[in-house]
Amino acid sequence: MSSLEFDRAAALADLCRLLAACYYEPGPEFTEERLFDSIIDATLRIDPPMVAKARQLKAAFESESSQNLLVDYAHLFLGPVGTLALPYESAWLNKESESPVDATQALLNLFEDGGFAVDAEFRDLPDHIAVELEFLYTVLFRMAAAIRNQDQQDLDNAAALRWNVLEQHLGRWIDDFHAAVQSGAQTCFYRELVDLTVLFVSIVRDK
């Protein structure tokens, strides 16, 4: 396997981790840690058409006040009433036959299979979009390492985990979540973020 394959796989993992960070409450660390420059850099290594979306995301963040972003974040994701785009897999299962409890347990089982544990300091539900993206990051990181080490068994195992999280979990509800954010967001930032997330998921699915 070529160094180009490894670099692209590593960039996919990086972008996944960075997108996950964007779904936490916005704060000064987004700027201090040059989050959006890192996102642009990752997209340059993955798919040139993504770069424009990454730059739009950075511009949208920089055009809004921190107060507006915090208000929109709460408006979309927190509530306490009238929450427009709950960022939880279980919130979108009313169209499915599977119960939210069963789906959450299946997700926890997948985390265990992948050797992934939710941070003990995380005070939210384990099916939050940020957590599912963080799990996908660990899977993509393992795939990149397997490519670098030319370890086909590790690559196959990680690819099976990737399929599971995309086809049985995140991929099942991301389109509905996308539509809810697009219709409910008051700032351009969250519309750009969910657009880039859906584009990223489609690329990882086709990898």
Side-chain angles (χ1 to χ4, degrees):
M1 297 181 186
S2 71
S3 60
L4 287 176
E5 287 178 288
F6 166 71
D7 186 63
R8 188 172 187 274
L12 284 168
D14 286 344
L15 181 55
C16 193
R17 173 178 55 84
L18 296 164
L19 288 173
C22 291
Y23 285 99
Y24 290 107
E25 184 177 286
E29 64 276 8
F30 282 21
T31 300
E32 293 165 0
E33 297 176 9
R34 299 177 63 85
L35 176 62
F36 302 104
D37 289 334
S38 297
I39 287 174
I40 292 168
D41 178 67
T43 60
L44 282 165
R45 295 153 58 201
I46 296 167
D47 185 41
M50 293 183 78
V51 178
K53 291 300 293 180
R55 288 178 173 150
Q56 289 168 16
L57 179 67
K58 178 181 179 181
F61 179 82
E62 292 176 344
S63 71
E64 292 289 347
S65 69
S66 58
Q67 182 62 27
N68 283 348
L69 290 170
L70 285 168
V71 168
D72 205 21
Y73 179 85
H75 171 73
L76 286 168
F77 306 136
L78 299 181
V81 294
T83 307
L84 298 179
L86 282 167
Y88 308 107
E89 178 179 324
S90 53
W92 299 99
L93 292 180
N94 57 346
K95 300 176 183 177
E96 305 280 349
S97 58
E98 187 176 9
S99 77
V101 172
D102 290 343
T104 300
Q105 186 57 55
L107 183 65
L108 292 172
N109 292 342
L110 180 61
F111 289 170
E112 184 176 356
D113 290 344
F116 175 82
V118 179
D119 192 315
E121 295 184 2
F122 185 68
R123 302 302 181 191
D124 214 321
L125 299 175
D127 63 341
H128 192 286
I129 188 171
V131 180
E132 293 198 11
L133 285 169
E134 286 170 356
F135 174 70
L136 182 58
Y137 156 70
T138 67
V139 171
L140 295 173
F141 181 87
R142 286 174 58 180
M143 292 184 72
I147 291 170
R148 180 193 60 208
N149 299 331
Q150 299 185 34
D151 189 323
Q152 190 62 49
Q153 182 174 351
D154 277 0
L155 183 58
D156 290 345
N157 290 341
L161 291 169
R162 179 193 63 186
W163 180 89
N164 198 321
V165 71
L166 289 176
E167 301 305 325
Q168 302 299 318
H169 297 283
L170 182 61
R172 287 172 52 193
W173 61 280
I174 190 67
D175 289 338
D176 288 338
F177 176 72
H178 173 263
V181 173
Q182 283 293 335
S183 65
Q186 298 174 345
T187 63
C188 186
F189 173 72
Y190 284 106
R191 290 191 292 273
E192 292 291 346
L193 173 60
V194 77
D195 273 353
L196 186 57
T197 305
V198 168
L199 178 58
F200 167 77
V201 168
S202 71
I203 287 173
V204 175
R205 267 179 158 159
D206 292 340
K207 187 179 182 303

